[in-house]
Amino acid sequence: MGSPVRVLGIAGSLRAKSLNRALLRAAGELAPPDMEFRTFDLATIPVYNADVEAAGLPESVAAFKRAIREADALLFVTPEYNYGVPGVLKNAIDWASRAAAGEAPVMNGKAAGIMGASPGMGGTMRAQLQLRQAFVFTQTHCLTAPEVAVSKAHERFDADGRLTDEATRERVAAYLVRLAEWTRRVASRITSPA
Ligand code: FNR
């Protein structure tokens, strides 16, 4: 893959002052030069309902699946709710994991990364592990190390949601370099003959 790595960033929180949306914005700013960074806002994704799906994919879901298909890698920035993945994000993954007859599942074979931010000490590690479990089913190739689990996150952003903590900025920047490398490795294994 000689061209830039196209990353689609997805935050698992909808609130305007979300720490995870702020972390995603910081990732967009800190992306290396060989990375093209886009985001998808989950606000318009409806609650999954197989009857709605059978009647015709909602436009927001079709747009989400298109954005995933066009990306080389997905970057999930997840909060942790009750030790797990928030419904907003799990719901979106549930939609994205479904494929019509004859259609390739969009998350299958895709490279992915995970980051998360929490005001607590755990820094979303439990939610991140749960997300990895979903990727077993979707056959999404998630980078395993390093990890970006931002604990005490409310102390690391300013009032405008800008990531001010230098150590965290460096960690995010280093993670994105690794994600770009990982994405190229995943792509070469999938497209090269065995
Ligand atoms: C939380 N929070 C939380 N934090 C954590 O570290 N572990 C957890 O299990 C939970 N559980 C939890 C459940 C629910 C329903 C809410 C609303 C919150 C706190 C959570 O980390 C905090 O609200 C974050 O700020 C949420 O992320 P955003 O919206 O700032 O991105």
Side-chain angles (χ1 to χ4, degrees), residues 109-157:
K110 197 73 69 178
I114 307 175
M115 305 192 307
S118 157
M121 289 303 292
T124 74
M125 277 318 302
R126 292 157 295 216
Q128 293 196 25
L129 279 173
Q130 210 179 59
L131 208 45
R132 290 181 191 282
Q133 193 176 322
F135 294 156
V136 176
F137 184 82
T138 61
Q139 299 186 52
T140 303
H141 304 298
C142 193
L143 180 61
T144 49
E147 292 167 326
V148 179
V150 183
S151 57
K152 294 189 176 177
H154 56 298
E155 297 175 7
R156 301 181 199 269
F157 293 85

Side-chain angles (χ1 to χ4, degrees), residues 13 15 17-21 79-84 117-120 122-124 126:
S13 174
R15 72 188 188 96
K17 296 207 165 177
S18 157
L19 295 164
N20 288 278
R21 290 171 82 94
E80 179 172 282
Y81 280 5
N82 299 309
Y83 284 13
S118 157
T124 74
R126 292 157 295 216

